[in-house]
């Protein structure tokens, strides 16, 4: 099913993997040493853009009875929320700007504009997801505990509703993220101790209350007679932010080529193997400067997983070096147009809602699920890309 021996799957020797890790360590040190004023200016401009858009949106919505002003206010507010969520909140809480020692943009002080409390997100995302990326039964982001995205998960009748579940998750993505670290099933069953669950639930309730009052009571009330129009504008802006965040995150983790791993793959894992798991377990999508900015530079998901705490504005230049390393070690660099990456993701979600008997490919050699067993009976190739090319050639000859 999933990959148990990452070196074997990648067709690399131990020495190859350690050499790859050493080169990626060197790249990290170079970027760290080069951080400076241009990065600070980028961050300050980002904060300014976020605040300008929010003020524009809030002011326009004071006259939200007018349809053009409603559209302007809603659009500006949605863009402001996207920037705050993707390029600021996500990246600041990764510690990308901690080196500045500025309490305003420090991972320990930032609280973002969504219902998820920052301590919960930093545990479920920064720690669990980034340390155990795509490791089955360890990384809860593999399907977000609601979707089947690999054949390693056994099929259940309730999964027939998965296409609908996916739509609901996309629309309510901030709520899915907010509940992610609470483990409500364990709370209800009693498997999670009350002394741990109770403070978490209280923190989540406080954060939810704050967001609801801000977006659905306070700002609509400031609009006076336009209360309802501003309320719908805020709802729409949050929906747009949720949908965009969902697309960006899913296209970085579930297209073809974003591999899954077994717990056994973690045994005695070296730094080089951790790097390799990030490279094989994530995917990019093609983006110009504007789309990269509004995605929080998570169009470079591979680079983000290699260096989650380096400034996001550096991912484009890091990507050039990482792609060159992939060529050097004959590794795939998984990327493609956003529409293609999402189509592959959506196809996987819809396909895996069906029982296994309706699926064609084997559990070791499917677009969304692969293991080192897919190369059984083949002579060892010089690298993973060469092995995949040979595998595809064999299929065409059949």
């Amino acid at each position: 099913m999933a990959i148990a021996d990452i070196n074997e799957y990648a067709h690399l020797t131990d020495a190859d993997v350690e050499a790859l890790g050493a080169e990626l360590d060197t790249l990290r040190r170079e970027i760290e040493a080069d951080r400076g004023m241009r990065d600070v200016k980028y961050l300050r401009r980002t904060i300014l853009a976020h605040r300008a858009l929010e003020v524009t949106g809030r002011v326009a919505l004071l006259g939200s009875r007018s349809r053009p002003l409603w559209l302007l206010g809603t659009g500006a507010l949605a863009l402001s929320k996207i920037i705050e969520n993707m390029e600021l909140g996500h990246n600041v809480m990764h510690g990308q700007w901690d080196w500045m020692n500025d309490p305003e943009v420090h991972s320990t002080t930032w609280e973002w504009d969504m219902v998820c409390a920052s301590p919960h997100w930093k545990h479920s995302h920064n720690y669990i997801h980034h340390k155990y990326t795509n490791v089955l039964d360890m990384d809860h982001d593999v399907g977000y505990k609601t979707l089947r995205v690999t054949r390693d998960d056994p099929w259940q009748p309730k999964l027939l509703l998965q296409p609908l579940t996916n739509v609901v998750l996309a629309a309510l993505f901030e709520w899915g993220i907010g509940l992610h670290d609470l483990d409500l099933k364990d709370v209800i069953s009693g498997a999670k101790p009350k002394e741990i669950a109770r403070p978490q639930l209280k923190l989540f309730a406080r954060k939810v209350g704050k967001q609801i009052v801000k977006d659905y009571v306070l700002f609509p009330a400031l609009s006076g007679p336009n209360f309802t129009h501003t309320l719908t504008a805020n709802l729409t802006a949050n929906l747009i932010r949720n949908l965009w965040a969902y697309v960006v995150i899913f296209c970085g983790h579930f297209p073809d080529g974003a591999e899954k791993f077994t717990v056994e793959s973690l045994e005695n894992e070296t730094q080089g193997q951790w790097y390799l798991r990030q490279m094989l377990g994530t995917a990019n999508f093609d983006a110009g400067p504007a789309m990269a900015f509004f995605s929080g530079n998570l169009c470079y998901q591979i680079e983000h997983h290699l260096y989650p705490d380096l400034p996001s504005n550096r991912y484009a230049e890091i990507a050039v070096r990482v792609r060159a390393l992939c060529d050097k070690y004959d590794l795939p660099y998984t990327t493609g147009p956003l529409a293609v990456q999402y189509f592959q993701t959506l196809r996987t979600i819809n396909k895996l809602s069906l029982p296994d008997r309706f699926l064609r490919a084997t559990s070791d050699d499917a677009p969304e699920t692969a293991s080192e067993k897919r190369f059984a009976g083949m002579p060892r190739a010089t690298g993973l890309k060469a092995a995949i090319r040979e595998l595809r050639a064999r299929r065409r000859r059949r």
Side-chain angles (χ1 to χ4, degrees):
M1 300 290 273
I3 297 167
D5 187 333
I6 193 168
N7 290 24
E8 181 70 21
Y9 182 82
H11 289 68
L12 296 176
T13 65
D14 291 346
D16 290 332
V17 174
E18 294 316 298
L20 172 63
E23 295 200 60
L24 289 168
D25 280 339
T26 298
L27 177 53
R28 164 183 277 282
R29 289 192 294 270
E30 289 178 9
I31 299 297
E32 287 177 334
D34 191 51
R35 291 176 302 195
M37 189 51 63
R38 73 179 173 110
D39 303 294
V40 173
K41 288 180 179 179
Y42 174 84
L43 177 62
R44 295 304 177 197
R45 287 195 297 267
T46 299
I47 293 173
L48 180 62
H50 155 61
R51 290 175 177 171
L53 283 166
E54 181 168 16
V55 170
T56 299
R58 297 298 185 192
V59 171
L61 289 174
L62 293 175
S64 55
R65 189 178 297 273
S66 163
R67 185 167 182 79
L69 286 177
W70 187 93
L71 291 172
L72 172 62
T74 302
L77 190 57
L79 290 176
S80 170
K81 285 176 174 285
I82 286 171
I83 294 171
E84 195 280 335
N85 181 230
M86 308 297 290
E87 187 60 281
L88 290 175
H90 173 274
N91 293 335
V92 169
M93 288 193 291
H94 262 299
Q96 293 183 9
W97 305 99
D98 286 1
W99 58 276
M100 291 171 53
N101 293 316
D102 183 341
E104 182 186 7
V105 287
H106 200 277
S107 62
T108 60
T109 59
W110 190 276
E111 186 59 71
W112 54 1
D113 181 29
M114 60 188 299
V115 297
C116 180
S118 60
H120 298 164
W121 182 83
K122 283 186 283 190
H123 176 257
S124 65
H125 185 82
N126 288 11
Y127 173 63
I128 294 178
H129 173 57
H130 275 269
K131 181 174 182 177
Y132 302 113
T133 305
N134 281 21
V135 177
L136 302 176
D137 300 322
M138 297 289 287
D139 181 6
H140 298 159
D141 283 22
V142 180
Y144 289 88
K145 304 179 183 179
T146 60
L147 302 175
R148 186 190 188 210
V149 294
T150 172
R151 301 185 193 207
D152 298 279
D153 291 333
W155 183 83
Q156 304 174 58
K158 67 179 182 180
L159 290 170
L160 290 171
L161 297 175
Q162 180 159 288
L164 176 61
T165 303
N166 180 50
V167 173
V168 173
L169 177 61
L172 302 177
F173 197 57
E174 68 170 313
W175 291 88
I177 298 300
L179 294 168
H180 197 37
D181 198 48
L182 299 182
D183 296 317
L184 290 182
K185 288 184 179 179
D186 291 342
V187 174
I188 295 171
S189 68
K192 191 171 190 175
K194 291 182 179 179
E195 56 270 21
I196 296 177
R198 190 176 290 113
Q200 289 184 327
L201 292 172
K202 286 182 178 179
L203 178 59
F204 177 65
R206 285 198 299 269
K207 186 65 190 297
V208 168
K210 178 181 177 181
Q211 293 299 118
I212 289 177
V213 169
K214 177 179 69 70
D215 278 344
Y216 307 130
V217 179
L218 176 60
F219 280 111
L222 292 175
S223 298
N226 298 323
F227 181 98
T228 302
H229 296 88
T230 300
L231 175 65
T232 58
N234 288 346
L235 281 166
T236 303
N238 281 332
L239 174 63
I240 293 171
R241 187 269 317 279
N242 288 347
L243 292 175
W244 177 241
Y246 154 86
V247 169
V248 169
I249 299 304
F250 272 48
C251 286
H253 294 88
F254 304 131
D256 298 355
E259 309 297 356
K260 320 300 185 297
F261 308 88
T262 67
V263 175
E264 289 73 24
S265 68
L266 296 177
E267 293 180 8
N268 302 312
E269 185 180 58
T270 65
Q271 180 64 31
Q273 289 172 326
W274 182 87
Y275 279 135
L276 183 56
R277 177 158 55 83
Q278 307 309 311
M279 296 168 75
L280 297 180
T282 52
N284 289 2
F285 60 84
D286 302 338
M291 186 180 288
F293 177 71
F294 284 108
S295 73
N297 282 288
L298 293 179
C299 54
Y300 301 108
Q301 191 69 233
I302 296 170
E303 289 70 26
H304 172 61
H305 268 263
L306 289 172
Y307 307 114
D309 58 347
L310 290 184
S312 60
N313 61 305
R314 295 300 191 98
Y315 288 157
E317 62 187 89
I318 292 173
V320 175
R321 303 273 296 274
V322 171
R323 189 187 285 264
L325 286 174
C326 286
D327 290 339
K328 178 177 179 178
Y329 290 90
D330 201 42
L331 295 170
Y333 185 84
T334 306
T335 190
L338 179 64
V340 172
Q341 300 298 76
Y342 184 66
F343 172 78
Q344 292 177 353
T345 298
L346 191 62
R347 182 208 60 209
T348 291
I349 291 171
N350 292 338
K351 180 176 67 175
L352 293 186
S353 68
L354 301 174
D356 288 350
R357 65 178 179 273
F358 293 105
L359 306 178
R360 294 182 179 179
T362 70
S363 58
D364 291 303
D365 189 18
E368 76 289 341
T369 309
S371 79
E372 58 271 26
K373 294 179 182 178
R374 72 189 302 194
F375 305 115
M378 290 175 51
R380 186 178 177 88
T382 56
L384 180 54
K385 284 198 297 186
I388 292 174
R389 284 195 300 270
E390 175 59 26
L391 190 64
R392 290 171 177 168
R394 287 191 173 203
R395 288 180 190 151
R396 290 193 294 269
R397 291 194 293 266
R398 289 176 184 171

